[in-house]
Amino acid sequence: MKIPQTQNPKTPNQPPIQSPTKPETLKSLEFQMGTCFNTNPIIPPPNQIVIVISGPSGVGKDAVINKLREVRENLHFVVTATSRQMRHGEVEGKDYYFVSRDQFLSMVENDELLEYALVYGEYKGIPKKQIQEYMSKGEDIVLRVDIQGAQTLRKILGNSAVFVFIVAESEIEMVERLIDRKTESQEELLVRVATAREEVRHLKSFDYVVVNAKGKLDDAVKSVESIIDAEKSRVHQRIVRI
Ligand SMILES: Nc1ncnc2c1ncn2[C@@H]1O[C@H](COP(=O)(O)OP(=O)(O)OP(=O)(O)O)[C@@H](O)[C@H]1O
């Protein structure tokens, strides 16, 4: 038995139906909408953010920040002014601005510092001008402060800044890192370790926590980057005024 062939419904003389081109469709849509489509961004560029990185002594704040500096653009790492002595390997203007006690006190007098504190007998403070200057260039700002500084900044900046707490995976790991660093005397170590134990209790007043586990510095840095990305994607952007 012969199976009948399915017939092409089109008759050979009928012209093929032409679908409209993309420009034609666009024109038609614009006509129906009553307006032209524009190329403007749907949302404005995100605001600059201020990220406060803090945590107990020896958890690796500097290590995280130094790595972040290598992998991330458009971030300005605020250089803190301090009256303490330069440690071996530190660079003026990169690690800190090293100033005399008198110079520091005159900066306080002239209201040049966003916040300052006396830490382990030495002054540390954040120059306002540096933040204003880099924010006006469109850069995000990273501040590295101790817990005391973070608490003061929370009072000054409220929710306009993002507060990140760095921790080691355990207390023993944190203490070992401090010992290995070989920058503190036995007495200084004791003060830092005792303070650190108390400081972990302040975690609750931070927005994010990042564990900087032994040998996992890159993971900690990635977590900080994710925080920055998430903050830049917020619908309700933080607005910081300094
Ligand atoms: N993930 C990590 N694994 C191993 N060692 C680390 C890690 N992160 C930091 N360190 C080391 O731990 C020591 C302390 O780190 P760092 O100086 O960055 O701490 P800090 O939080 O900035 O301390 P402080 O507040 O006292 O300045 C350094 O010798 C650093 O190289």
Side-chain angles (χ1 to χ4, degrees), residues 54-66 84 87 90 96 120 124 144-146 166 169 173-174 176-184 192 199 211-218 220:
S54 190
S57 188
V59 294
K61 297 182 288 297
D62 278 342
V64 167
I65 284 175
N66 288 338
R84 84 153 160 75
R87 283 181 196 151
E90 283 181 331
Y96 287 98
Y120 306 117
K124 280 186 182 178
R144 178 233 191 270
V145 289
D146 54 35
I166 311 275
E169 66 274 47
E173 176 57 30
M174 181 177 70
E176 283 186 10
R177 270 179 218 173
L178 269 180
I179 297 170
D180 290 345
R181 191 170 68 177
K182 296 189 173 73
T183 49
E184 278 82 21
R192 283 181 185 245
E199 283 174 338
V211 178
N212 177 29
K214 185 175 186 170
K216 299 270 172 70
L217 179 63
D218 286 351

Side-chain angles (χ1 to χ4, degrees), residues 7-86:
Q7 288 278 311
N8 185 344
K10 264 192 227 158
T11 53
N13 293 339
Q14 199 177 336
I17 300 160
Q18 290 259 309
S19 53
T21 62
K22 193 168 155 187
E24 284 166 349
T25 309
L26 267 173
K27 273 262 164 310
S28 157
L29 286 169
E30 283 180 338
F31 179 75
Q32 289 172 75
M33 296 286 287
T35 58
C36 291
F37 299 122
N38 64 55
T39 54
N40 298 341
I42 290 172
I43 49 153
N47 289 350
Q48 284 88 282
I49 57 173
V50 172
I51 309 137
V52 179
I53 294 190
S54 190
S57 188
V59 294
K61 297 182 288 297
D62 278 342
V64 167
I65 284 175
N66 288 338
K67 192 82 197 178
L68 194 61
R69 203 190 284 267
E70 285 171 22
V71 299
R72 188 99 186 183
E73 288 181 341
N74 276 333
L75 287 181
H76 175 70
F77 298 83
V78 172
V79 182
T80 309
T82 182
S83 65
R84 84 153 160 75
Q85 288 289 306
M86 200 186 283

Side-chain angles (χ1 to χ4, degrees), residues 159-171:
N159 283 328
S160 70
V162 187
F163 289 75
V164 180
F165 194 92
I166 311 275
V167 281
E169 66 274 47
S170 66
E171 193 175 53

Side-chain angles (χ1 to χ4, degrees), residues 87-179:
R87 283 181 196 151
H88 181 71
E90 283 181 331
V91 178
E92 160 75 13
K94 181 175 171 280
D95 298 296
Y96 287 98
Y97 285 114
F98 296 95
V99 296
S100 68
R101 272 179 103 84
D102 283 351
Q103 281 172 312
F104 194 98
L105 292 171
S106 91
M107 290 167 92
V108 174
E109 190 88 345
N110 298 329
D111 193 26
E112 290 174 29
L113 301 172
L114 179 63
E115 71 87 30
Y116 73 97
L118 193 59
V119 185
Y120 306 117
E122 296 293 353
Y123 286 109
K124 280 186 182 178
I126 301 166
K128 282 185 195 172
K129 206 171 138 207
Q130 212 186 117
I131 301 180
Q132 291 157 345
E133 202 180 300
Y134 281 89
M135 282 187 86
S136 70
K137 288 185 197 168
E139 297 203 9
D140 295 317
I141 303 294
V142 180
L143 295 168
R144 178 233 191 270
V145 289
D146 54 35
I147 306 282
Q148 192 188 338
Q151 285 180 303
T152 312
L153 284 177
R154 184 59 111 181
K155 285 189 194 119
I156 297 167
L157 300 172
N159 283 328
S160 70
V162 187
F163 289 75
V164 180
F165 194 92
I166 311 275
V167 281
E169 66 274 47
S170 66
E171 193 175 53
I172 180 76
E173 176 57 30
M174 181 177 70
V175 176
E176 283 186 10
R177 270 179 218 173
L178 269 180
I179 297 170

